[in-house]
Amino acid sequence: MVDRAVRRRRQALFLLFFLPGIAMSSWVTRTPDVRDQLGLSTGQMGLVLFGLSIGSMSGILCSGRFVSRFGTRPVIALGTLLIIAGTVVIGLGSAVRSAPLVTAGLCLFGGGMGGGEVAVNVDGADVERITGTAVLPTLHGCFSLGTVIGGSAGMAATAAAFPVHWHLTVAALVATGMLVHALRAVPAAVGSSTAPSTPGPGPVPGPPSKPQVWKDRKLLLIGAIVLAMALAEGAANDWLPLLMVDGHGLDAAMGSLVFVGFAAAMTLGRFSGSFFLSRFGRAAVVRASAVSGAVGLLLVIFSDNAVIAATAVLFWGLGASLGFPVALSAAGDSGPDQTARVSLVAVIGYVAFLVGPPALGFLGDHYGLRSAMVVVLVFVAAAILIAPAADTRDRAAAVDPAQRTRPGTTPAGQHQGDRS
């Protein structure tokens, strides 16, 4: 019965990651159309995207406390409902050509992403603890799969000149059905400071807001990895179609196609992540991911050939695919108080994911989007140097030394790739 419940819970998490991927890509692929309908410059579009930043920061700052008090389930539900509501409001703002309304919709959307996604990552890390296997890369792969499907639909809608508001309304209805189906399988009180322990290898999560986690140097280095790789992903999610249209001269439909290619590369990287983790370990996978991302960004920024730039986006997507989920897994078994550690690193990641791109818009307005992406390149290159921080196998063993000798068990969140 426990195994069946865990399987149902994992499948529900697949949907809960898949859902925001569809919503996000539905918005991203229509950004050129929305910008043109609103008659905005790149800098003005950055101001509109600042609504996403305000919402995301509000959600992020509240998420850890809410998960600690109520558990992950109600926070996931509220966050997903905000994503759905935000998608509808964005569509409405586009229909009436109101930049403030689109900004308000992005604020709701960001609040849902910032709060709900932190909670769903905490829940995913708990499933990893119970099963002793890598789950987060596949869960994040479902997010990327959602972006591929949503992006493909957005590309078709763009090519057919399908109204943005109807497109986003359909996406919101699909997301609502997924939420209703999936939420029933998510148990109550996971991540709560009063939650009972769940059977499974590894330590039991403690209260999520102890100040000691902020003083853990290795955890902060893991957070820096997440910051860099989430910025690489967020920059593409918000700006890639416009980057290809304005920076490389493609039309809106081709810009959306390039974004779909990025999302497909992300999906491939995440679904194959467990294979590479089991053979090479976290540090090597993070380093290879950062190298791939840096090469892709380098070519997109400095190559004037649109075909080379579009192809390089695939390396960018592969590189950005595993940094975030692998670092979250590393944070989960970097020491005691798993919920606090995962929450902290997830907060850092979502700050970069949702707040970084609007800042790139301001740089893009002054120097061009291609030049603005140099900032992302610098962060990703830095992740190559700090990749060894993702190897937390020694800490996982130190948390519970008995796990090293108990037959049939592995330390919390330790993947096959972390074993000698």
Side-chain angles (χ1 to χ4, degrees):
M1 290 298 293
V2 172
D3 290 343
R4 182 180 178 185
V6 171
R7 284 197 300 271
R8 289 181 63 245
R9 179 181 175 188
R10 186 164 50 191
Q11 290 166 0
L13 291 175
F14 289 159
L15 282 178
L16 291 169
F17 271 87
F18 181 78
L19 184 160
I22 286 183
M24 175 67 77
S25 59
S26 296
W27 146 251
V28 169
T29 53
R30 305 311 298 269
T31 49
D33 290 330
V34 172
R35 180 193 63 176
D36 293 343
Q37 284 183 289
L38 298 178
L40 303 178
S41 67
T42 300
Q44 289 170 328
M45 195 66 181
L47 284 173
V48 170
L49 286 172
F50 194 63
L52 195 67
S53 303
I54 294 172
S56 65
M57 284 304 299
S58 300
I60 285 167
L61 293 174
C62 296
S63 60
R65 184 174 299 176
F66 284 172
V67 169
S68 174
R69 183 172 181 180
F70 303 110
T72 57
R73 181 176 175 175
V75 180
I76 291 170
L78 177 60
T80 308
L81 287 172
L82 287 175
I83 290 173
I84 293 168
T87 302
V88 173
V89 174
I90 292 168
L92 180 60
S94 173
V96 300
R97 302 178 186 272
S98 168
L101 198 55
V102 171
T103 304
L106 285 170
C107 186
L108 292 173
F109 194 104
M113 287 288 290
E117 291 301 288
V118 169
V120 81
N121 275 292
V122 170
D123 210 279
D126 188 62
V127 172
E128 282 197 333
R129 184 186 66 82
I130 294 169
T131 62
T133 59
V135 174
L136 281 171
T138 304
L139 291 176
H140 282 260
C142 289
F143 174 87
S144 298
L145 180 61
T147 63
V148 171
I149 294 174
S152 299
M155 180 182 63
T158 300
F162 189 67
V164 174
H165 58 283
W166 288 120
H167 173 201
L168 295 183
T169 299
V170 171
L173 290 173
V174 171
T176 301
M178 290 181 185
L179 174 63
V180 172
H181 176 75
L183 196 61
R184 292 173 296 180
V186 179
V190 173
S192 169
S193 58
T194 59
S197 61
T198 309
V204 176
S209 56
K210 290 187 177 181
Q212 285 78 5
V213 298
W214 293 89
K215 301 177 182 178
D216 190 323
R217 180 176 176 272
K218 187 157 190 174
L219 185 65
L220 293 178
L221 288 175
I222 294 170
I225 294 172
V226 166
L227 180 97
M229 305 311 283
L231 180 60
E233 181 180 354
N237 282 340
D238 275 3
W239 290 113
L240 186 54
L242 283 174
L243 174 63
M244 300 309 296
V245 170
D246 294 349
H248 290 283
L250 300 183
D251 61 30
M254 288 302 296
S256 295
L257 179 61
V258 171
F259 173 77
V260 171
F262 173 86
M266 290 275 294
T267 304
L268 176 64
R270 283 173 169 171
F271 279 120
S272 62
S274 296
F275 173 85
F276 291 104
L277 286 166
S278 67
R279 282 155 180 77
F280 303 108
R282 289 180 184 143
V285 167
V286 170
R287 182 179 289 111
S289 297
V291 168
S292 177
V295 169
L297 280 160
L298 193 67
L299 291 173
V300 169
I301 294 167
F302 295 107
S303 174
D304 292 324
N305 186 305
V307 175
I308 292 176
T311 304
V313 165
L314 301 178
F315 290 96
W316 182 355
L318 283 172
S321 62
L322 288 174
F324 199 150
V326 172
L328 286 177
S329 295
D333 63 359
S334 62
D337 304 316
Q338 181 194 52
T339 299
R341 291 173 179 275
V342 173
S343 295
L344 172 61
V345 172
V347 163
I348 293 172
Y350 282 109
V351 166
F353 186 76
L354 295 169
V355 178
L360 295 175
F362 290 110
L363 291 175
D365 199 37
H366 290 87
Y367 306 105
L369 279 175
R370 284 171 63 177
S371 298
M373 293 298 155
V374 172
V375 174
V376 184
L377 175 60
V378 170
F379 275 91
V380 173
I384 300 172
L385 303 178
I386 57 177
D391 187 357
T392 52
R393 57 185 174 183
D394 295 335
R395 288 191 171 200
V399 170
D400 187 1
Q403 296 289 344
R404 286 180 284 182
T405 58
R406 189 190 307 171
T409 62
T410 58
Q414 180 176 323
H415 306 153
Q416 293 178 359
D418 294 328
R419 303 176 197 150
S420 57

